[in-house]
Amino acid sequence: RRLAMASQHNDDLFLIVLNRWRSLGGSIEIDDDARDRSVVEEGDETGLRNGVWIYLIAGDGTLDQVKRLDCTRGCVLDATFGQPGREGIESWGDWEISVDRVEKSESCKDLVDLTMVQIGAGCEDEGSQETMLNARAFMRRMEPSWDEVLDKIGENLTPDLFGAENTEVKACVKYEDDGNEFIALVDVGECMYVCTFLTS
């Protein structure tokens, strides 16, 4: 029963994010196991977690609305293979690690708001109007702990390396986790962090 409740808890957040994206004029498509891409209509999200990739597509004006979310963001840790940047971070493969600090504002005050910003940035980074995410991992809640997050992105990482040593994690979610890319969004109350691990 606890597992069922945890699953429901994850999916509730998942649906909140999808509905928020739609409220900004975006649409959603998914690849199922047969690799057929189809539009997911509102109210038709049953079984969506079993898909392979989820595509969040910006509509007319969507990205303009996302840009209105007042999101002051700055990189506080940047470590890449061969150039760890900070003493104590071990290079063990071809990877990149980064942590961004995001200041909260009236229009960007929680992880759902930050997710909209992430999706919008993904649409623009790809040079198209969509971003692709792992359907099984997207917006899965994680244990609210720095250890839980940092163990996923590197060895010998501690919050003091990016100025978060006196913070307590209030909530955190996986934004992406597909084997080559892991992104966690972390809320510590006064601000939020985007923790990223990329490998080739």
Side-chain angles (χ1 to χ4, degrees):
R1 183 177 175 181
R2 287 183 64 188
L3 286 174
M5 289 176 65
S7 175
Q8 183 65 43
H9 193 50
N10 276 313
D11 289 341
D12 285 348
L13 177 63
F14 185 54
L15 296 178
I16 288 169
V17 168
L18 297 187
N19 288 333
R20 178 70 183 280
W21 181 248
R22 287 192 180 106
S23 77
L24 297 175
S27 60
I28 299 159
E29 294 186 5
I30 194 164
D31 274 345
D32 61 21
D33 289 325
R35 306 298 293 176
D36 293 325
R37 188 163 163 176
S38 58
V39 176
V40 180
E41 301 292 348
E42 187 171 359
D44 190 31
E45 292 94 353
T46 303
L48 198 60
R49 284 289 193 192
N50 295 323
V52 180
W53 299 108
I54 183 170
Y55 300 85
L56 293 114
I57 304 161
D60 293 340
T62 301
L63 296 182
D64 287 338
Q65 291 186 74
V66 170
K67 288 175 182 175
R68 292 192 195 108
L69 298 176
D70 182 15
C71 178
T72 302
R73 179 170 174 167
C75 183
V76 289
L77 177 67
D78 185 4
T80 58
F81 175 62
Q83 296 180 317
R86 300 290 181 94
E87 186 177 352
I89 301 175
E90 297 179 358
S91 294
W92 54 267
D94 186 5
W95 51 255
E96 297 179 16
I97 293 171
S98 66
V99 178
D100 290 354
R101 177 182 167 119
V102 180
E103 302 300 335
K104 288 187 175 182
S105 69
E106 190 61 34
S107 62
C108 187
K109 58 185 180 297
D110 57 31
L111 294 181
V112 175
D113 293 336
L114 182 55
T115 300
M116 295 302 105
V117 173
Q118 283 288 120
I119 295 169
C123 289
E124 294 182 321
D125 287 348
E126 296 296 324
S128 67
Q129 292 290 102
E130 66 181 33
T131 189
M132 180 178 76
L133 296 154
N134 183 327
R136 294 182 177 93
F138 179 56
M139 298 310 288
R140 292 277 188 190
R141 293 183 192 268
M142 300 176 64
E143 189 70 24
S145 160
W146 274 124
D147 289 342
E148 183 78 9
V149 174
L150 298 181
D151 285 351
K152 288 283 293 184
I153 68 174
E155 299 177 9
N156 298 332
L157 284 173
T158 55
D160 61 288
L161 291 170
F162 47 90
E165 61 271 24
N166 295 318
T167 60
E168 177 186 351
V169 176
K170 307 296 184 184
C172 59
V173 295
K174 293 180 185 178
Y175 175 83
E176 180 64 288
D177 190 6
D178 66 2
N180 294 318
E181 181 177 20
F182 172 81
I183 301 175
L185 310 182
V186 181
D187 188 339
V188 299
E190 65 179 26
C191 66
M192 296 178 285
Y193 290 88
V194 180
C195 303
T196 304
F197 169 78
L198 300 172
T199 187
S200 56

